[in-house]
Amino acid sequence: MNPNRKKLAQIELSKIKEKANIARGAILKMTTLANSGHPGGSMSTVDFLLTLYHLINIDPKKPKWEERDRVIISHGHIAPAVYATLGLLDFFPLDDAISQFRLAGSIYEGHVEPDVAGVEWASGNLGQGLSAGVGFALGCRQQEIKNHIFVLMGDGEQQKGQISEARRFAKKYNLNNITAFVDYNKLQICGDINKVMPQNILENYISDGWDVIEIDGHNFTEIQDAIFDAVNNENPTLILAHTVMGKGISFMENDEKYHGSTISAEKLDLALKELGLENNLIKYKKLREEFKPHNADHNNKISQQKDFNLNIGNPIIYTEKTDNRSAWGNAIADLVNRNEKLEMRNSLAVFDCDLQGSVKTNKFAEILPENFYESGIMEHHTAVCAGAMSKENIQIFFADFGVFGVDETYNQHRLNDINNTNLKVITTHVGLDVGEDGKTHQCIDYLGVMKSLYHFKTIIPADPNQTDRIIRYISKKYGNFLIPMGRSKLEIIKDTEGNIFFDENYKFEYGKADLLRKGKEAALFVMGTLTNRALEIADRLYDLGISLQVWNVSCPLNLDKEALKKAAKTGIIFTYEDHNVNTGLGNSIADKLMQLGLSCEFYKFGVEDYALSGKSEDVFKYCRLDVDSVVNRILEKIS
Amino acid sequence: MNPNRKKLAQIELSKIKEKANIARGAILKMTTLANSGHPGGSMSTVDFLLTLYHLINIDPKKPKWEERDRVIISHGHIAPAVYATLGLLDFFPLDDAISQFRLAGSIYEGHVEPDVAGVEWASGNLGQGLSAGVGFALGCRQQEIKNHIFVLMGDGEQQKGQISEARRFAKKYNLNNITAFVDYNKLQICGDINKVMPQNILENYISDGWDVIEIDGHNFTEIQDAIFDAVNNENPTLILAHTVMGKGISFMENDEKYHGSTISAEKLDLALKELGLENNLIKYKKLREEFKPHNADHNNKISQQKDFNLNIGNPIIYTEKTDNRSAWGNAIADLVNRNEKLEMRNSLAVFDCDLQGSVKTNKFAEILPENFYESGIMEHHTAVCAGAMSKENIQIFFADFGVFGVDETYNQHRLNDINNTNLKVITTHVGLDVGEDGKTHQCIDYLGVMKSLYHFKTIIPADPNQTDRIIRYISKKYGNFLIPMGRSKLEIIKDTEGNIFFDENYKFEYGKADLLRKGKEAALFVMGTLTNRALEIADRLYDLGISLQVWNVSCPLNLDKEALKKAAKTGIIFTYEDHNVNTGLGNSIADKLMQLGLSCEFYKFGVEDYALSGKSEDVFKYCRLDVDSVVNRILEKIS
């Protein structure tokens, strides 16, 4: 929004007020027709929403116009108000939204979704919108887009702690292109917010360094003035708008029931009379019946995304024992050096949560400090902020320990995945490799939990050379990736003749398993940190006259069918991992074998309970996952 | 702590100061010996910790004495300070802790763990300790224990939003038996906290209604006065203690490097000289080498827990279509009525996150309001608080939608699981049943993610009768359980003769699958909401001359081997669920079949991508999971 634009005259504000009346009618019609949805909060927010959309820079004909102001809806359940507003602004025919709301196969979903023109971010889980808005604001600033980001939130969701993280981050990075709005209707599902969970919203924002403007959220002059004041303020600003749930309909006002309940057809008639609007529900009923659904295909949306135009340079070949972490840190630093043009650099960013030295983001921080974001111990905010920012055509690398970057932030990544973001999550210190730090820090479940996110691709490098190649590969790709790695220095993987396996001729291919050792008696599948140990096991068995086929699986969520077929032919498959034995690599392989109808003996070696605190080699021994133990366990099964 | 106890005289404080010197020596010895650990924060906290332990009500000989004050360590990495303090207070021989620190098979883990006498709560993931402390404070109050709870935290972790949730909850419930402490040494891993993530800790606490006492954290008189003032304050109080990282050793002070780095043996010699202590590291080295490790068996610890002495009453038999949610709400209300004695009622509590009517906690809230905790939209805090409170011999039921009670809080439950808590998580609105609310609200992954927690038992009821029986069953049991249910009203499951299947003679048995229909041509495994549909499918196939064996799997994480064997004998197994097809029931069954060496044709029917917003029946159709589609899919495979 141009901070110097002319304010709307009173007569124009009166017109918006009239539109708000129509919008209220639309909200009630769509929710009553769907017999489902959230009218109460929609009606308390809609005056602000409509005024805002009349002030900001948008082009309904080009909803993805790069320079547009972005509006993020955190309380996604006010979808009816959003659809009514966007419909009245000609982003799409309002009749479509009214007739298709919450209808399977339509884009007008129960919570806002970016398939709808004008919607930037899918929400529904509360408390995440401010982080997303901060991500968009940061992304626009890094891409040198001169615009403003508005984040609309409910008052109940202010209780979520993540919002305080977002506030601190916005303040630290002096984001002057963001304005937040709270629809302070003082009711949540269970009633009066001061009874459900008392909170001093104003003081909370001020204590984190924000400015707050309090207004009557149904006074159009106050709304306009507040938006101008906020946009012109150099400090992040909250507009705290005192509103009335169900505003505009006498029997709905201040009744929390209408948070998530619709009114009956009879009551709709009364309501529309109050608004002075015609009751044309029959027309929409008919349209609804005639609607031809279309199936929204997520995969399709993702595959349409183009590769990034970055120079990914030449591989670094490691010949000495190195940790994968350093290989990732070197690769990302190399990428910066290979892409010196400002526009290329602007399309790279790294997020860190107080672990620079451990997760090796420090090199990047040194050479490209302006695109490095130190987020402190605020993982929930960081996951969402980084995800949203990645939608601004930026390759975002969010590096963290596994337990924070995955376990703590699983639901944030779920929302990222639903939003088709473009986030690269680099997690270090996974598996038992982080020995001494103990159970809470041993991330042995990332694979188990990430399996549930449909479009996150997990790639686990076996050594520093493969790490280097994988980082370069994902740097070109659009989409969500997780790249987990351990802590320790690893031997370079070599073939039986002593040549580097992932050498300059190796090209990473998503879904391809690497045959590291040929063998007939049995096959073993391994990944990541344990790959070296697997080769040692194979060598030991070889000396005993047993040839073990060894496969490195870097893409456990997209298993290599041919590899499984070859392995099954040996008659025995083993899986070997320092992950939860119930949900890791072995689990995925078992599932796939059943689906492929491949039968063979099958044994999983993995972590069977929360492990101990101690040197990782000792911890491996306790879990019977050290080389000696596994050799014996294999011999037991083979003989 | 008795608020009227006599203050320690200066001479006694001087003795504590001397002990603090010895404690610093112990911290340095154990971390240098282990070559791993966190000396810096240990040394900034230890003066407070030692003084605190000299004032509170504890009995080192009876570390689990019920009336004791509880000390919760949120920043678990200061384990060296905790071990040194507890050792000096004779909870255990200090020499053990020094020599066994971070040694595999010892209890002196890298982050504090309750196997150590005097430790109440395992931590390691930051930002959760205040929630745990609030849970203990609430639990003690409900159990009418007159004591005080102290929560020690780091300053970096104040950045985590969950702490603000805990503050609001403590204020709402007027917890006057809790005191928080922040070790304000102003350094975190990446340096100056005012650079890493600026924060006004004092204002943050005040904005949430807490009182704050600022002190010099190395001045023993100020420490003692602050503890007395806090304990005597009726309002939740924070002691904000200005401290120095690495305090006591000239070359360690104010250097963030020593957050997580140890000093060398040479530097240890210098440090001990500064402290005026003898360097007897050799003695500890020897003890360390001689240590005989023992394996800490988690399962064993849990099985030692006794059943609760609650009257679980008689089953309610449902004969009409009812939602499982209501059956759970009725069962928990019935439990209250059956256990009228105060001590029994005190061992029951329910937590809600602003969803009383939807998750059916409202009946309980009505009849036992004093043990009902409305937590607002603060799921992270609630999960930890409820988990910790459950350790005070209280059966805690935390009810929430699946996406909040599992997805959003996965890592909090992971910590609960590590802490062997006794939490009953009731999640409603799981699966596609919550149709119109769309992707963000459709919890189709809870099974996938909960599989990674070793000791959480998941039990999924098929109808209201089974729900009733399961709620009564878990009400007797110690341990963590997840009970997921959908939203809709369900038909009562009946046998082929029309008799109620889960009737008054049915007794729930963990791990047993229910054979609902006999059949020879193929077997189908189903659970929860879809069980009724599975029976309809079997009926339809029966009419076509195909007998389908139907199994209801209420315990997908503890599969029934005999059921699988019988099913495999038919030659074809189908699994049918409204969950992520990659990680749900089908995935567990595939894994188990491979492990059991059972081979047969195998097909999974489940949700293959994020689903649509629409009536649940329509959503099922889109996912090809409605009865018609599944009948056709089965026919395709059979013929």
Side-chain angles (χ1 to χ4, degrees):
Chain A
M1 175 180 152
N2 181 350
N4 303 317
R5 68 160 288 167
K6 240 184 92 187
K7 278 194 183 176
L8 300 175
Q10 280 305 320
I11 190 159
E12 292 168 296
L13 290 179
S14 303
K15 281 184 195 159
I16 295 178
K17 196 175 174 179
E18 278 168 37
K19 276 195 196 170
N21 206 50
I22 297 170
R24 288 195 163 83
I27 290 166
L28 292 173
K29 287 176 203 168
M30 70 178 87
T31 49
T32 293
L33 191 60
N35 192 20
S36 171
H38 301 79
S42 295
M43 289 162 83
S44 54
T45 313
V46 74
D47 292 337
F48 182 88
L49 200 54
L50 258 173
T51 313
L52 180 67
Y53 267 94
H54 280 83
L55 293 172
I56 59 177
N57 273 342
I58 43 158
D59 182 349
K61 290 195 184 59
K62 293 186 287 177
K64 292 286 166 196
W65 169 50
E66 205 180 45
E67 307 283 313
R68 74 192 182 280
D69 292 321
R70 272 81 162 154
V71 178
I72 314 303
I73 309 293
S74 183
H75 49 334
H77 58 268
I78 66 145
V82 177
Y83 301 154
T85 300
L86 294 171
L88 286 168
L89 273 117
D90 293 328
F91 277 84
F92 47 77
L94 179 54
D95 282 358
D96 285 3
I98 297 178
S99 58
Q100 298 169 26
F101 180 57
R102 290 183 165 231
L103 191 57
S106 118
I107 54 175
Y108 303 102
E109 302 208 345
H111 291 82
V112 293
E113 226 271 338
D115 282 345
V116 175
V119 173
E120 305 282 352
W121 184 254
S123 56
N125 287 185
L126 294 170
Q128 303 200 1
L130 190 57
S131 297
V134 166
F136 283 107
L138 211 61
C140 289
R141 186 164 85 179
Q142 184 169 312
Q143 292 284 28
E144 300 178 345
I145 298 169
K146 297 264 172 290
N147 64 352
H148 205 85
I149 316 299
F150 298 89
V151 180
L152 275 65
M153 296 179 276
D155 49 4
E157 67 175 311
Q158 300 304 310
Q159 292 154 10
K160 290 280 290 179
Q162 188 181 324
I163 294 182
S164 71
E165 300 179 357
R167 282 196 296 264
R168 283 189 279 278
F169 186 95
K171 178 70 184 173
K172 176 185 175 187
Y173 284 99
N174 293 315
L175 288 179
N176 59 4
N177 59 345
I178 190 166
T179 294
F181 164 88
V182 168
D183 176 31
Y184 199 16
N185 62 31
K186 298 165 200 82
L187 288 176
Q188 57 190 113
I189 294 180
C190 292
D192 182 348
I193 59 170
N194 289 311
K195 287 184 184 153
V196 174
M197 186 49 64
Q199 179 179 20
N200 194 334
I201 295 174
L202 187 141
E203 288 298 329
N204 281 166
Y205 275 78
I206 288 177
S207 78
D208 285 320
W210 282 52
D211 291 327
V212 180
I213 303 171
E214 270 188 282
I215 60 164
D216 170 356
H218 301 303
N219 179 316
F220 292 83
T221 310
E222 288 190 28
I223 292 172
Q224 166 164 256
D225 290 349
I227 292 171
F228 270 83
D229 289 348
V231 168
N232 280 289
N233 191 1
E234 283 299 303
N235 204 34
T237 307
L238 168 72
I239 299 173
L240 183 61
H242 295 267
T243 61
V244 173
M245 180 171 277
K247 173 74 179 178
I249 305 300
S250 56
F251 59 84
M252 293 180 77
E253 288 190 359
N254 286 316
D255 187 344
E256 73 263 22
K257 186 172 76 185
Y258 295 111
H259 165 85
S261 297
T262 61
I263 58 174
S264 64
E266 296 76 49
K267 284 208 166 166
L268 177 68
D269 203 54
L270 289 174
L272 293 173
K273 278 202 184 95
E274 275 196 40
L275 296 170
L277 299 173
E278 181 203 358
N279 186 348
N280 54 358
L281 200 66
I282 285 177
K283 165 182 143 189
Y284 294 110
K285 245 187 195 158
K286 202 159 165 282
L287 285 172
R288 193 172 181 89
E289 282 157 13
E290 288 165 0
F291 171 68
K292 295 268 178 301
H294 56 90
N295 202 334
D297 186 340
H298 242 79
N299 278 309
N300 197 21
K301 276 183 253 171
I302 293 165
S303 63
Q304 283 166 10
Q305 296 289 351
K306 282 188 296 192
D307 279 4
F308 273 73
N309 187 22
L310 283 168
N311 176 2
I312 58 166
N314 299 316
I316 298 173
I317 304 293
Y318 293 88
T319 55
E320 302 291 324
K321 214 171 164 175
T322 309
D323 50 324
N324 288 353
R325 293 181 290 154
S326 292
W328 124 255
N330 294 337
I332 188 72
D334 190 46
L335 267 171
V336 176
N337 292 329
R338 305 270 174 181
N339 293 277
E340 291 199 315
K341 275 195 205 154
L342 188 64
E343 63 187 67
M344 284 172 163
R345 293 197 158 192
N346 281 352
S347 67
L348 281 173
V350 168
F351 278 79
D352 179 85
C353 283
D354 194 30
L355 288 169
Q356 294 179 32
S358 300
V359 302
K360 305 295 181 191
T361 52
N362 41 4
K363 264 198 187 173
F364 183 96
E366 241 169 64
I367 57 176
L368 197 56
E370 60 273 30
N371 294 5
F372 175 74
Y373 302 98
E374 176 48 73
S375 203
I377 307 175
M378 310 202 305
E379 296 88 4
H380 292 126
H381 162 73
T382 308
V384 176
C385 176
M389 186 176 177
S390 76
K391 295 209 79 169
E392 295 293 346
N393 292 312
I394 304 179
Q395 287 290 36
I396 308 270
F397 297 82
F398 165 30
D400 209 339
F401 282 180
V403 287
F404 309 127
V406 174
D407 294 356
E408 179 77 354
T409 46
Y410 169 72
N411 199 39
Q412 282 65 25
H413 291 311
R414 190 173 73 93
L415 271 282
N416 282 334
D417 207 35
I418 285 175
N419 273 292
N420 294 324
T421 58
N422 175 42
L423 183 61
K424 277 68 186 173
V425 182
I426 312 292
T427 54
T428 70
H429 294 66
V430 305
L432 296 181
D433 204 15
V434 62
E436 287 97 336
D437 277 339
K439 307 172 179 61
T440 57
H441 279 59
Q442 290 160 357
C443 186
I444 55 177
D445 52 358
Y446 65 88
L447 196 54
V449 302
M450 292 303 276
K451 274 181 202 176
S452 285
L453 302 185
Y454 290 103
H455 307 294
F456 247 98
K457 295 186 168 78
T458 296
I459 312 178
I460 304 167
D463 80 350
N465 286 317
Q466 199 180 21
T467 305
D468 179 83
R469 249 44 56 78
I470 289 167
I471 298 298
R472 289 172 204 273
Y473 169 84
I474 62 170
S475 300
K476 289 288 276 186
K477 295 286 171 198
Y478 188 93
N480 296 318
F481 288 85
L482 172 71
I483 316 295
M485 41 193 84
R487 182 181 60 174
S488 308
K489 290 192 178 180
L490 300 173
E491 297 285 353
I492 304 306
I493 306 281
K494 294 184 178 162
D495 64 19
T496 42
E497 272 141 46
N499 301 312
I500 292 177
F501 193 89
F502 302 108
D503 64 4
E504 58 279 4
N505 300 316
Y506 167 73
K507 202 170 165 274
F508 174 78
E509 202 177 309
Y510 185 71
K512 195 176 168 295
D514 308 303
L515 180 60
L516 298 183
R517 292 292 181 269
K518 291 180 183 168
K520 300 189 307 271
E521 274 79 12
L524 181 141
F525 287 87
V526 69
M527 61 184 185
T529 311
L530 296 200
T531 310
N532 265 296
R533 284 184 176 82
L535 296 182
E536 226 181 304
I537 291 162
D539 287 348
R540 294 269 297 275
L541 290 169
Y542 188 81
D543 291 343
L544 299 170
I546 295 163
S547 71
L548 184 70
Q549 201 178 92
V550 178
W551 291 94
N552 170 49
V553 181
S554 53
C555 308
L557 305 190
N558 196 355
L559 290 164
D560 186 332
K561 284 183 204 175
E562 295 312 312
L564 290 175
K565 284 180 191 165
K566 273 189 204 159
K569 273 191 192 153
T570 66
I572 310 186
I573 289 180
F574 298 100
T575 61
Y576 175 38
E577 60 192 317
D578 58 344
H579 297 73
N580 187 316
V581 73
N582 303 313
T583 62
L585 175 65
N587 168 263
S588 285
I589 288 184
D591 193 336
K592 197 74 178 179
L593 288 170
M594 280 309 297
Q595 286 183 72
L596 294 173
L598 294 171
S599 75
C600 62
E601 279 186 62
F602 177 76
Y603 304 100
K604 299 192 291 184
F605 303 143
V607 186
E608 287 165 21
D609 201 348
Y610 300 110
L612 306 173
S613 159
K615 281 189 196 308
S616 61
E617 203 47 50
D618 290 343
V619 178
F620 276 108
K621 270 183 202 147
Y622 271 93
C623 298
R624 300 185 302 142
L625 293 173
D626 60 305
V627 169
D628 282 347
S629 300
V630 174
V631 166
N632 289 333
R633 291 169 82 177
I634 290 178
L635 286 174
E636 244 173 58
K637 298 300 178 189
I638 283 186
S639 59
Chain B
M1 175 180 153
N2 181 350
N4 303 317
R5 67 159 289 167
K6 242 184 89 186
K7 279 195 183 178
L8 300 175
Q10 281 304 322
I11 189 159
E12 291 167 296
L13 290 180
S14 304
K15 281 184 194 157
I16 295 176
K17 197 175 174 178
E18 279 169 37
K19 277 195 194 171
N21 207 47
I22 297 170
R24 288 195 163 83
I27 290 166
L28 293 173
K29 288 176 203 168
M30 69 178 89
T31 49
T32 294
L33 192 59
N35 191 22
S36 171
H38 301 80
S42 296
M43 289 161 83
S44 53
T45 313
V46 75
D47 292 336
F48 182 88
L49 200 54
L50 258 174
T51 313
L52 180 67
Y53 267 94
H54 280 85
L55 293 172
I56 60 177
N57 273 341
I58 43 157
D59 182 350
K61 291 198 182 58
K62 292 185 288 177
K64 291 286 166 196
W65 170 50
E66 206 180 47
E67 308 283 316
R68 75 194 180 279
D69 292 320
R70 272 83 164 154
V71 179
I72 314 304
I73 309 293
S74 183
H75 49 334
H77 58 267
I78 66 145
V82 177
Y83 302 153
T85 300
L86 294 171
L88 287 168
L89 273 117
D90 293 327
F91 277 84
F92 47 76
L94 180 54
D95 282 359
D96 285 1
I98 297 177
S99 58
Q100 298 169 25
F101 181 57
R102 290 183 166 231
L103 191 56
S106 118
I107 55 174
Y108 303 102
E109 302 208 345
H111 291 81
V112 292
E113 226 272 337
D115 283 345
V116 176
V119 173
E120 305 282 352
W121 184 254
S123 55
N125 286 183
L126 294 170
Q128 304 201 359
L130 190 57
S131 296
V134 166
F136 283 108
L138 211 59
C140 289
R141 185 163 83 178
Q142 183 168 313
Q143 292 284 27
E144 299 179 345
I145 298 169
K146 299 263 173 290
N147 66 350
H148 205 87
I149 315 300
F150 298 89
V151 179
L152 275 65
M153 296 178 276
D155 50 5
E157 65 175 313
Q158 299 305 311
Q159 292 155 8
K160 289 281 290 179
Q162 187 180 324
I163 293 182
S164 71
E165 299 180 355
R167 284 197 295 264
R168 282 190 279 280
F169 187 95
K171 177 70 182 173
K172 175 185 175 186
Y173 284 99
N174 293 315
L175 288 179
N176 58 6
N177 59 344
I178 191 166
T179 294
F181 164 88
V182 168
D183 176 32
Y184 200 15
N185 62 31
K186 299 167 200 79
L187 289 175
Q188 56 190 116
I189 295 179
C190 293
D192 182 350
I193 60 169
N194 289 311
K195 287 184 183 152
V196 174
M197 186 49 63
Q199 179 179 20
N200 193 333
I201 295 173
L202 187 142
E203 288 297 330
N204 281 166
Y205 275 78
I206 288 176
S207 78
D208 285 320
W210 282 51
D211 291 328
V212 180
I213 304 171
E214 270 188 281
I215 60 164
D216 170 356
H218 301 302
N219 179 316
F220 292 83
T221 309
E222 288 190 29
I223 292 172
Q224 165 163 259
D225 290 348
I227 292 171
F228 270 84
D229 290 347
V231 168
N232 280 288
N233 191 0
E234 283 299 302
N235 204 34
T237 307
L238 168 71
I239 299 173
L240 184 59
H242 294 268
T243 61
V244 173
M245 181 172 275
K247 173 74 180 178
I249 304 301
S250 56
F251 57 85
M252 293 180 78
E253 288 191 1
N254 287 316
D255 187 344
E256 72 264 21
K257 185 173 75 184
Y258 294 111
H259 164 86
S261 296
T262 61
I263 58 174
S264 64
E266 297 75 49
K267 285 209 166 165
L268 176 68
D269 203 54
L270 290 175
L272 292 173
K273 278 202 183 94
E274 275 196 39
L275 296 169
L277 300 173
E278 179 204 1
N279 186 348
N280 53 0
L281 201 65
I282 284 177
K283 164 182 143 188
Y284 294 110
K285 246 188 195 156
K286 201 158 166 281
L287 284 172
R288 193 173 181 87
E289 282 157 13
E290 288 165 359
F291 170 68
K292 295 269 177 297
H294 57 90
N295 202 334
D297 186 338
H298 242 76
N299 278 310
N300 197 20
K301 274 183 254 172
I302 292 165
S303 65
Q304 282 166 10
Q305 296 288 350
K306 281 189 297 191
D307 278 4
F308 273 75
N309 187 22
L310 282 167
N311 176 2
I312 58 165
N314 299 316
I316 298 173
I317 305 294
Y318 294 88
T319 56
E320 302 291 324
K321 214 170 164 177
T322 309
D323 49 322
N324 287 353
R325 292 181 291 153
S326 291
W328 125 254
N330 295 337
I332 188 72
D334 190 46
L335 267 170
V336 177
N337 292 328
R338 305 267 175 185
N339 293 277
E340 291 198 317
K341 274 195 207 155
L342 188 64
E343 64 187 65
M344 284 173 165
R345 293 198 159 192
N346 281 353
S347 68
L348 282 173
V350 167
F351 278 79
D352 179 85
C353 283
D354 194 29
L355 289 168
Q356 295 180 30
S358 301
V359 303
K360 305 295 180 190
T361 52
N362 41 5
K363 264 197 188 175
F364 183 97
E366 241 169 64
I367 57 177
L368 198 56
E370 60 273 29
N371 293 7
F372 176 74
Y373 302 98
E374 176 47 73
S375 203
I377 307 174
M378 310 201 305
E379 296 88 4
H380 293 127
H381 162 73
T382 308
V384 177
C385 176
M389 186 176 176
S390 76
K391 295 209 80 170
E392 293 295 347
N393 292 312
I394 304 179
Q395 287 289 37
I396 309 269
F397 297 82
F398 165 30
D400 210 338
F401 283 180
V403 287
F404 308 127
V406 174
D407 293 357
E408 179 78 354
T409 45
Y410 170 73
N411 199 40
Q412 281 66 24
H413 291 311
R414 190 173 72 93
L415 271 281
N416 283 335
D417 207 36
I418 285 175
N419 272 292
N420 294 323
T421 58
N422 175 43
L423 183 60
K424 276 68 187 173
V425 182
I426 313 292
T427 54
T428 70
H429 294 66
V430 305
L432 296 181
D433 204 16
V434 63
E436 286 97 335
D437 277 340
K439 308 173 178 59
T440 57
H441 279 59
Q442 291 161 355
C443 185
I444 54 176
D445 53 357
Y446 65 88
L447 195 55
V449 302
M450 291 304 276
K451 273 181 203 176
S452 285
L453 303 186
Y454 290 103
H455 307 293
F456 247 97
K457 294 186 169 77
T458 297
I459 312 179
I460 303 168
D463 80 351
N465 286 318
Q466 199 180 23
T467 306
D468 180 83
R469 249 45 56 77
I470 288 167
I471 298 298
R472 289 172 205 274
Y473 169 85
I474 62 170
S475 300
K476 290 288 278 186
K477 296 286 172 199
Y478 189 94
N480 297 318
F481 288 86
L482 172 71
I483 317 295
M485 42 192 85
R487 183 182 58 174
S488 308
K489 289 191 178 180
L490 299 173
E491 298 284 355
I492 304 305
I493 306 281
K494 294 184 176 162
D495 64 20
T496 42
E497 273 140 45
N499 301 311
I500 291 176
F501 192 90
F502 303 108
D503 64 6
E504 58 279 3
N505 300 317
Y506 167 73
K507 201 168 166 275
F508 175 79
E509 203 177 309
Y510 185 72
K512 193 176 166 298
D514 307 303
L515 180 59
L516 298 182
R517 293 290 181 269
K518 290 181 182 166
K520 302 190 303 271
E521 274 79 13
L524 180 141
F525 287 87
V526 69
M527 62 184 184
T529 311
L530 295 200
T531 310
N532 264 296
R533 284 185 177 82
L535 295 183
E536 226 182 303
I537 290 162
D539 288 348
R540 294 268 297 276
L541 290 170
Y542 188 80
D543 292 344
L544 299 170
I546 295 163
S547 71
L548 184 70
Q549 201 178 94
V550 178
W551 291 94
N552 170 49
V553 181
S554 53
C555 307
L557 306 190
N558 196 352
L559 290 165
D560 185 333
K561 283 184 204 173
E562 295 312 312
L564 290 174
K565 283 181 191 165
K566 272 189 202 156
K569 273 193 190 151
T570 67
I572 310 186
I573 289 180
F574 297 101
T575 60
Y576 175 39
E577 60 191 316
D578 57 345
H579 297 73
N580 187 316
V581 73
N582 304 314
T583 62
L585 175 64
N587 168 264
S588 285
I589 288 185
D591 193 335
K592 197 74 179 181
L593 289 170
M594 281 308 298
Q595 286 183 73
L596 293 173
L598 293 171
S599 75
C600 60
E601 279 186 62
F602 177 77
Y603 304 100
K604 299 192 290 183
F605 303 143
V607 186
E608 287 165 21
D609 201 348
Y610 300 110
L612 305 173
S613 161
K615 281 189 195 310
S616 61
E617 203 47 49
D618 290 344
V619 178
F620 276 108
K621 271 183 201 148
Y622 271 92
C623 297
R624 300 186 302 144
L625 293 173
D626 60 305
V627 169
D628 282 348
S629 300
V630 175
V631 166
N632 289 332
R633 291 169 83 177
I634 289 178
L635 286 174
E636 245 173 56
K637 297 301 177 190
I638 282 186
S639 58

